[in-house]
Amino acid sequence: MDCLFCKIIAGEIPSTKVYEDETVYAFKDISPMAKVHVLIIPKQHIDSMNDINSENSAVVAHIFEVAAELAKKLEIDKTGYRVVSNCGKDAGQTVFHLHFHLLGGEEMNPRMA
Ligand code: 5GP
Ligand code: ZN
């Protein structure tokens, strides 16, 4: 499959890894929108939020456990952070491999849209 994030998981495209286990990979965003900006992705290819279902939602739950762990490791758990997944055109999704942005390290715009 011609998917940028599948290639990053496979090591075909370099990335700055911050976490990896059997089902999840996390790496620094190439174009950070905050001082801390990490992308957390399932190793299994899922296009977007639209494709989360009872068969694959365990990995999504696990991603949120990883997000909480990474927030502590990156020392943004006390100051606060945001976890975002853009789905589709109106949200500005550009990579169609499900991913969760972990953003923090500075105050962010409270407006969500
Ligand atoms: P989206 O806009 O789909 O929610 O988020 C895609 C994110 O992937 C963007 O924040 C973008 O900066 C990031 N990104 C795109 N290409 C690469 C890449 O090759 N490496 C890394 N580390 N991040 C990327
Ligand atoms: Zn993929």
Side-chain angles (χ1 to χ4, degrees):
M1 184 186 296
D2 193 21
C3 167
L4 177 67
F5 287 176
C6 281
K7 286 180 183 161
I8 283 179
I9 292 162
E12 291 164 19
I13 292 173
S15 65
T16 306
K17 176 168 83 173
V18 294
Y19 177 84
E20 181 174 18
D21 65 26
E22 271 184 21
T23 58
V24 168
Y25 189 78
F27 55 106
K28 288 190 180 171
D29 196 291
I30 203 167
S31 176
M33 302 287 281
K35 279 187 189 145
V36 174
H37 189 171
V38 169
L39 298 171
I40 311 172
I41 66 178
K43 286 189 171 174
Q44 169 193 3
H45 180 93
I46 299 169
D47 274 359
S48 78
M49 290 281 298
N50 280 339
D51 302 290
I52 296 173
N53 56 45
S54 58
E55 304 282 300
N56 61 25
S57 59
V59 73
V60 178
H62 183 50
I63 281 172
F64 277 81
E65 288 177 45
V66 170
E69 279 173 28
L70 285 181
K72 290 188 187 82
K73 182 177 155 187
L74 299 170
E75 299 181 330
I76 56 171
D77 57 317
K78 303 283 195 300
T79 46
Y81 56 94
R82 185 173 287 162
V83 178
V84 176
S85 186
N86 296 319
C87 180
K89 179 177 76 64
D90 283 357
Q93 184 178 5
T94 57
V95 179
F96 282 79
H97 180 126
L98 179 66
H99 52 280
F100 293 84
H101 299 257
L102 172 63
L103 297 149
E106 62 185 306
E107 266 189 42
M108 288 169 281
N109 186 337
R111 269 178 64 85
M112 297 290 283

